[in-house]
């Protein structure tokens, strides 16, 4: 990320890797209810198609949260949290923590990176992270959506049970279900999120609008979250539908997208847009602010250990 002064000690790759995973977990803890509401809204049209002319259960992000608390209890807002934290610790560490290293790889060690180079770095780390952490994402989405079982029986009894059940019933490949749309989605998200944050922060510092501190990080993160939501929402909806689908419901992610378009219209691709923005905007703010502070704290600690006197 930009903003390090020449006289500052730049964070190491290990510091960025651990810091990104930790910051992402903090952000998930704060914003997980919004993510769960987003998933419920995204699959709502699909559930209606399967059960005929059924009344709309969820209306808006706060209406969804209120309905879930009333009918399922407050704990339902955190369904899949364990898998979500597992996902962030493995996923964000790669896609965010290795972003600067990948930029340097493409520029052969130069600190000057063009827009194209940043986009390439974002796509690369986003795809790498999905291939590594996809099972955790599948389990998280299944937990968040398991209200679809109307008889009160839980789809999975716990996180580890979910991994075992999916592998047993759908094969090991079931844990990587939706991998391609998720790679597409996260390549887009990473490009928008990291590159936009990078550029906004760079411009703020270049024109001396703010110093490299919390208000600057807050502004850049909010802008990154808004841009990312607009671009990534259609792919995100398809990813959620496909990963949550039963065996044989869709032949591929493309079939899922075509089914949504023909049966629900183009607006289906922006189902859950408001909670998506509330979640991505708030998630970006918490994550990037935490990430910047964790990096600095870890580097101060490292320096104090290396120079005790």
């Amino acid at each position: 990320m930009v903003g390090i002064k020449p006289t500052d000690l730049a964070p190491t790759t290990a510091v960025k890797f651990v810091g990104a995973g930790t910051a992402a977990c903090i952000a998930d803890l704060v914003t997980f209810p919004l993510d769960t509401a987003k998933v419920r809204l995204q699959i709502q049209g699909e559930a209606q198609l399967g059960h005929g002319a059924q009344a709309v259960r969820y209306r808006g992000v706060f209406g969804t949260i209120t309905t879930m608390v009333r009918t399922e209890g407050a704990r339902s807002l955190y369904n899949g949290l364990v898998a979500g934290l597992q996902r962030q610790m493995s996923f964000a560490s790669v896609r965010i923590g290795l972003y600067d290293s990948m930029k340097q790889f493409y520029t052969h060690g130069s600190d000057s990176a063009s827009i194209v180079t940043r986009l390439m770095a974002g796509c690369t780390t986003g795809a790498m992270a999905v291939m590594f952490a996809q099972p955790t994402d599948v389990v998280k989405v299944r937990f968040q959506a398991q209200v679809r079982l109307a008889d009160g029986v839980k789809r999975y009894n716990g996180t580890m049970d979910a991994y075992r059940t999916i592998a047993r019933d759908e094969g090991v490949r079931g844990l990587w279900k939706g991998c391609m749309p998720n790679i597409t989605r996260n390549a887009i998200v990473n490009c928008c999120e990291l590159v936009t944050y990078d550029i906004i922060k760079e411009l703020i510092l270049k024109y001396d609008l703010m110093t490299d501190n919390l208000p600057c990080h807050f502004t850049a993160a909010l802008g990154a979250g808004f841009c990312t939501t607009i671009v990534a929402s259609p792919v995100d909806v398809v990813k959620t539908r496909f990963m949550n689908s039963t065996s044989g419901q869709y032949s591929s992610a493309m079939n899922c997208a075509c089914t949504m378009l023909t049966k629900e219209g183009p607006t289906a691709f922006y189902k859950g847009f408001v909670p998506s923005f509330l979640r991505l905007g708030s998630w970006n703010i918490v994550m990037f602010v935490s990430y910047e502070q964790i990096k600095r704290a870890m580097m101060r600690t490292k320096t104090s250990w290396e120079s005790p006197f």
Side-chain angles (χ1 to χ4, degrees), residues 163-270:
Y163 288 118
R164 286 192 297 267
T165 302
I166 293 170
R168 185 186 66 240
D169 296 346
E170 304 174 42
V172 176
R173 290 180 62 183
L175 291 169
W176 271 267
K177 189 172 189 176
C179 190
M180 289 311 297
N182 210 12
I183 286 176
T184 304
R185 183 235 180 214
N186 278 289
I188 294 170
V189 165
N190 233 32
C191 286
C192 290
E193 195 173 75
L194 297 180
V195 175
T196 305
Y197 178 83
D198 229 4
I199 292 172
I200 293 175
K201 181 181 173 183
E202 189 175 78
L203 290 173
I204 288 172
L205 297 177
K206 180 180 178 180
Y207 292 103
D208 294 322
L209 301 176
M210 300 176 190
T211 58
D212 187 10
N213 219 319
L214 196 146
C216 171
H217 306 155
F218 180 96
T219 304
L222 184 62
F226 182 72
C227 294
T228 303
T229 308
I230 291 175
V231 175
S233 272
V235 183
D236 191 34
V237 175
V238 173
K239 180 212 79 167
T240 300
R241 293 278 187 97
F242 188 61
M243 285 168 54
N244 187 58
S245 64
T246 56
S247 182
Q249 186 174 354
Y250 302 115
S251 60
S252 65
M254 186 59 69
N255 174 251
C256 177
C258 291
T259 301
M260 287 173 57
L261 182 62
T262 55
K263 294 187 176 182
E264 301 174 62
T267 57
F269 292 100
Y270 281 91

Side-chain angles (χ1 to χ4, degrees), residues 45-106:
E46 180 184 47
Q48 286 176 276
L49 290 173
H51 296 89
Q54 182 179 319
V56 174
R57 184 172 188 178
Y58 304 118
R59 296 182 183 277
V61 56
F62 297 112
T64 301
I65 291 173
T66 302
T67 300
M68 289 178 64
V69 171
R70 187 179 68 249
T71 59
E72 303 171 55
R75 290 183 63 182
S76 65
L77 297 173
Y78 284 90
N79 279 345
L81 178 63
V82 173
L85 295 179
Q86 291 172 349
R87 174 182 179 268
Q88 292 299 351
M89 204 62 219
S90 54
F91 181 74
S93 297
V94 174
R95 80 176 183 91
I96 298 171
L98 298 183
Y99 171 69
D100 285 335
S101 299
M102 196 57 62
K103 276 198 305 184
Q104 290 188 333
F105 172 78
Y106 283 124

Side-chain angles (χ1 to χ4, degrees), residues 13 73 122 137 210 230 276:
T13 300
D137 204 10
M210 300 176 190
I230 291 175
S276 286

Side-chain angles (χ1 to χ4, degrees), residues 22-42:
T22 305
C25 286
I26 295 171
D28 244 29
L29 284 169
V30 174
T31 64
F32 206 81
L34 293 171
D35 192 40
T36 302
K38 177 203 74 173
V39 169
R40 294 292 179 90
L41 286 167
Q42 287 177 337

